[in-house]
Amino acid sequence: MAGPLSRRSPGAARRFIAGYSVGLVVGGTVIALLAAVVAEGLGSVLPLRWREVAAGTLLVGVGVADVLNRTPHVMRQVPQDYARALRPGWRGVLWGVDLGLLFTTQKTTSLIWGALVVTVLLNPMAAPVFLVGMVIGSVAGTVIGTALNHVPGRAFLGGERVFIRTVRALSGVVLICLGLLQIV
């Protein structure tokens, strides 16, 4: 969304990215607080070994889903009316909150789910740090992608569909391997 906007109006694109950054922080903070509460609760109820096996099993599960091209996500889209009705800054805030909440958007791979599961089950204190890092990475990726006006590697791999399918399969293999290692 920011790329086409930057070609039409660089100022509007900057306002969009600023709003997007703020929205991601808000959405990420909500999820970080929720993850910290869930992690603390699970840590006090389940022994570490059970949490290790659960984490490994969930990693294998989402890895298999990626390999089968069935990455878990919610099938919905933000209404297109928002893109036309909201000013760029507010549109960015809305989009950022939506993406920061994690559960409300489509995913290309299950790497985020795997990292969130492992963080919540095995290292609860790291959940807020992980989510803040993810927000920073997401903002950086959007800014770089907007500046470059493309995602490097897509053309090399044969287009967007092939790129996504390749990345998803690699993600699945990595998650399965990590899950099996965790269980063992």
Side-chain angles (χ1 to χ4, degrees), residues 46-60:
L46 293 176
L48 178 60
R49 184 63 194 143
W50 286 21
R51 287 183 283 135
E52 289 172 339
V53 171
T57 302
L58 289 168
L59 287 176
V60 169

Side-chain angles (χ1 to χ4, degrees), residues 26-177:
V26 169
T29 300
V30 169
I31 288 298
L33 292 173
L34 182 61
V37 169
V38 169
E40 191 64 34
L42 288 175
S44 65
V45 173
L46 293 176
L48 178 60
R49 184 63 194 143
W50 286 21
R51 287 183 283 135
E52 289 172 339
V53 171
T57 302
L58 289 168
L59 287 176
V60 169
V62 294
V64 168
D66 273 6
V67 168
L68 295 175
N69 205 26
R70 299 284 181 240
T71 301
H73 62 270
V74 177
M75 288 298 291
R76 63 132 203 94
Q77 192 79 16
V78 174
Q80 290 298 313
D81 292 345
Y82 292 159
R84 290 182 287 279
L86 296 174
R87 299 173 83 180
W90 285 110
R91 188 178 331 142
V93 169
L94 178 66
W95 191 36
V97 169
D98 187 35
L99 291 176
L101 291 173
L102 295 180
F103 295 95
T104 60
T105 58
Q106 296 181 10
K107 301 292 178 249
T108 303
T109 70
S110 295
L111 290 173
I112 289 174
W113 300 132
L116 189 59
V117 161
V118 169
T119 303
V120 167
L121 289 174
L122 303 180
N123 193 356
M125 297 306 290
V129 174
F130 162 71
L131 288 161
V132 167
M134 194 174 67
V135 165
I136 291 169
S138 180
V139 170
T142 299
V143 170
I144 290 168
T146 300
L148 295 176
N149 199 24
H150 75 290
V151 176
R154 280 189 184 173
F156 174 74
L157 289 172
E160 187 169 353
R161 281 186 182 252
V162 174
F163 175 76
I164 289 172
R165 182 66 190 112
T166 302
V167 169
R168 192 171 283 157
L170 290 172
S171 162
V173 170
V174 167
L175 288 166
I176 291 168
C177 291

